[in-house]
Amino acid sequence: MEIVIDIDSTTPVFTQLMEQIKQAVSSDGLAEGAALPSIRQLANELDVNSKTVAKAYKLLERDNIIQSRGYRGSFVHPEAKRYCGVNVNEWAHDELKATITKLKAKGVTDSELRIAFSNILSNKD
Amino acid sequence: MEIVIDIDSTTPVFTQLMEQIKQAVSSDGLAEGAALPSIRQLANELDVNSKTVAKAYKLLERDNIIQSRGYRGSFVHPEAKRYCGVNVNEWAHDELKATITKLKAKGVTDSELRIAFSNILSNKD
DNA sequence: ATATGTACCATTTATATCGATGGTACATGT
DNA sequence: ACATGTACCATCGATATAAATGGTACATAT
């Protein structure tokens, strides 16, 4: 695990963590099933808050890149590479953009879109 | 035109304007094709900024409730009542929600959606 | 004891956006 | 001259959110 955090970067620390761990899995620097450093251990190594590492781990788990096993620690997901390689981001971007373009063509303003989007993601319907 | 603006309301002024004008059209207080007070005139009457009234008028025109005819002034849309029942915001919300629901079903995370959405609206593609 | 992930509580800083306001200016017409 | 809608420019205050930080505590295990 050679993770480098750039404090001056505009990219959030938890994102840098996610990206580098994902990259390590993709390039086989981290094998599927391999043990990850513990949250506190990595936080101490990189001199960042443990909650920040916990956030990155939690999101990576949601993305099926890693798995948390309580007191046993965190591990690379058995099928992590399958989820790393799938470029759902590009497809999602295009789908979302198509809808937004359609709505804006009907005159929906950006602020209206932001409000609607925010309400949907926070389940405030 | 009996429009009452409540400054202490959490509802924005431009929204109050839109709602009350729509209501007047629905209840035949404002007939289709009838002339509306000019932007500056209404702004002066209600003691609000003309840009705020202009914003409400612009959105009402988008919603086919009113029509602007340049130097001739603003008028109730000839088929305004037909469009009074149509809520552009609701329609946009439903369209957007359908897309988001589809993306999330495919495993797209909220954070990925937020990033994509933000990038699309700011044209940073 | 010590370590694991995790779940709460909270504050701070920075950034973004909203809503409203104001000014200036333009072409168009009466 | 005067009024119409409209398009820019801008500022201000309030609000919301993101990101990171810190503290405390819990059940679970070695």
Side-chain angles (χ1 to χ4, degrees):
Chain A
M1 292 291 298
E2 314 133 14
I3 292 184
V4 179
I5 297 300
D6 179 10
I7 302 293
D8 300 327
S9 170
T10 59
T11 305
V13 174
F14 80 91
T15 303
Q16 294 184 45
L17 283 171
M18 290 180 68
E19 287 172 347
Q20 295 190 39
I21 291 175
K22 255 188 182 179
Q23 169 61 25
V25 172
S26 284
S27 62
D28 295 312
L30 271 176
E32 289 172 341
L36 288 161
S38 79
I39 289 177
R40 290 177 178 84
Q41 179 184 337
L42 186 55
N44 192 53
E45 258 185 46
L46 303 176
D47 198 35
V48 297
N49 195 278
S50 62
K51 309 303 186 310
T52 303
V53 178
K55 180 179 182 180
Y57 273 29
K58 190 179 177 187
L59 290 173
L60 284 171
E61 185 172 27
R62 186 178 59 182
D63 292 347
N64 296 309
I65 303 300
I66 75 173
Q67 278 182 337
S68 295
R69 300 182 196 164
Y71 65 92
R72 273 163 288 183
S74 302
F75 302 83
V76 177
H77 189 284
E79 299 180 79
K81 295 195 70 173
R82 210 158 60 76
Y83 293 98
C84 276
V86 174
N87 195 346
V88 76
N89 259 314
E90 210 175 287
W91 170 75
H93 180 280
D94 294 344
E95 287 287 316
L96 197 54
K97 183 169 188 177
T99 297
I100 291 176
T101 300
K102 179 175 65 178
L103 297 181
K104 290 185 72 170
K106 296 276 187 177
V108 182
T109 66
D110 284 12
S111 51
E112 286 172 328
L113 283 174
R114 286 198 194 88
I115 291 171
F117 182 82
S118 168
N119 285 340
I120 292 167
L121 277 201
S122 51
N123 285 319
K124 286 172 187 167
D125 305 339
Chain B
M1 292 290 298
E2 314 131 14
I3 293 184
V4 180
I5 297 300
D6 179 8
I7 301 293
D8 301 327
S9 171
T10 60
T11 305
V13 174
F14 81 91
T15 303
Q16 294 184 46
L17 283 171
M18 291 180 66
E19 286 172 347
Q20 295 190 38
I21 291 175
K22 253 190 182 179
Q23 170 61 24
V25 172
S26 282
S27 62
D28 294 313
L30 271 175
E32 290 173 341
L36 288 160
S38 80
I39 289 177
R40 290 177 179 83
Q41 179 185 336
L42 186 55
N44 191 54
E45 257 185 46
L46 303 175
D47 198 35
V48 297
N49 194 277
S50 62
K51 309 302 185 312
T52 304
V53 178
K55 179 178 182 179
Y57 273 29
K58 191 179 177 185
L59 289 173
L60 284 171
E61 185 170 27
R62 178 201 65 184
D63 294 348
N64 298 308
I65 304 299
I66 74 175
Q67 278 181 338
S68 294
R69 301 184 195 161
Y71 65 93
R72 272 164 289 185
S74 304
F75 302 84
V76 178
H77 190 284
E79 300 179 77
K81 296 194 70 172
R82 235 180 16 97
Y83 292 100
C84 271
V86 179
N87 190 320
V88 172
N89 265 316
E90 269 180 33
W91 171 75
H93 179 279
D94 293 344
E95 288 286 316
L96 197 55
K97 183 168 187 177
T99 297
I100 291 176
T101 300
K102 180 175 63 178
L103 297 182
K104 291 183 73 170
K106 296 276 187 174
V108 183
T109 65
D110 285 10
S111 49
E112 287 168 333
L113 283 174
R114 286 195 202 90
I115 292 172
F117 182 81
S118 169
N119 284 339
I120 292 168
L121 277 201
S122 50
N123 286 319
K124 285 170 188 168
D125 305 339

